[in-house]
Amino acid sequence: MSVRRAGAFILDSIMAEMKERTFIAIKPDGVQRGIIGEVIKRFETKGFKLVGMRMVHASEDLLMQHYIDLKDRPFFPTLMKYMTSGPVVAMVWEGKGAVKTGRVMLGETNPADSKPGTIRGDFCIDVSKNIIHGSDSVESANKEISLWFKDDELVSYTSCAFSWLY
């Protein structure tokens, strides 16, 4: 491989890493409590780029597909009732390490185990009302994004802050 080709390969790899996407959803209790702006502010302040957002009353079919891995768990019916109880704000965020960093920003699934400064650590008390969902892997993010968004609902652009972040 030529030096020029190797350099292009490395640059392509770096650019792909900076365009990692994650799916974040503010659940009905988060919407009702009015923390949408706070969540967006935290992700923007961190340096991630919002490339898709919509508010929706999630259908049982959509939620069944989203939570398919939990369908045999005893709390599943309660989860479905909770998630259909009000609107959800579905978002796609982009940036280097978006999935892993996003999960850290959310905090632990159980708010009692979440550190102050995380979204759940600052805004939640009970695991059954933990206000936010975030993809747990790049593979999950890709699956969840395709469930909640059509390709033409995601926007590709270069943020003016890009050179200040990377």
Side-chain angles (χ1 to χ4, degrees), residues 4-158:
R4 183 181 187 124
R5 181 91 171 119
F9 176 76
I10 292 168
L11 182 60
D12 287 347
S13 297
I14 292 168
M15 291 304 290
E17 183 180 65
M18 289 186 267
K19 290 187 175 252
E20 181 177 293
R21 289 180 170 176
T22 192
F23 175 75
I24 301 293
I26 303 173
K27 298 176 181 180
D29 55 322
V31 172
Q32 293 293 331
R33 291 181 53 202
I35 64 153
I36 298 166
E38 180 65 32
V39 170
I40 291 171
K41 177 184 174 187
R42 288 180 184 219
F43 276 83
E44 284 183 330
T45 301
K46 185 68 176 176
F48 292 118
K49 180 173 68 172
L50 182 63
V51 296
M53 182 170 77
R54 64 188 212 138
M55 180 180 273
V56 61
H57 278 280
S59 69
E60 285 191 23
D61 185 49
L62 172 62
L63 292 168
M64 184 68 77
Q65 291 176 65
H66 182 90
Y67 289 117
I68 192 73
D69 58 324
L70 302 176
K71 73 177 173 56
D72 296 325
R73 304 290 286 271
F75 59 82
F76 186 73
T78 305
L79 173 64
M80 292 294 287
K81 185 176 179 183
Y82 160 59
M83 290 299 294
T84 58
S85 68
V88 172
V89 174
M91 298 176 284
V92 179
W93 290 91
E94 185 177 278
K96 184 177 179 181
V99 172
K100 182 178 179 182
T101 304
R103 292 287 290 189
V104 170
M105 291 170 63
L106 267 55
E108 299 298 321
T109 302
N110 185 346
D113 299 330
S114 295
K115 294 183 169 127
T118 65
I119 293 167
R120 290 181 178 140
D122 290 348
F123 298 107
C124 301
I125 295 172
D126 189 79
V127 70
S128 69
K129 300 276 192 298
N130 66 4
I131 70 172
I132 197 161
H133 165 84
S135 301
D136 62 3
S137 69
V138 172
E139 295 77 25
S140 293
N142 291 334
K143 177 185 158 229
E144 292 168 354
I145 291 166
S146 69
L147 277 174
W148 290 81
F149 291 90
K150 296 175 186 158
D151 285 341
D152 65 353
E153 294 175 317
L154 300 177
V155 180
S156 183
Y157 65 99
T158 301

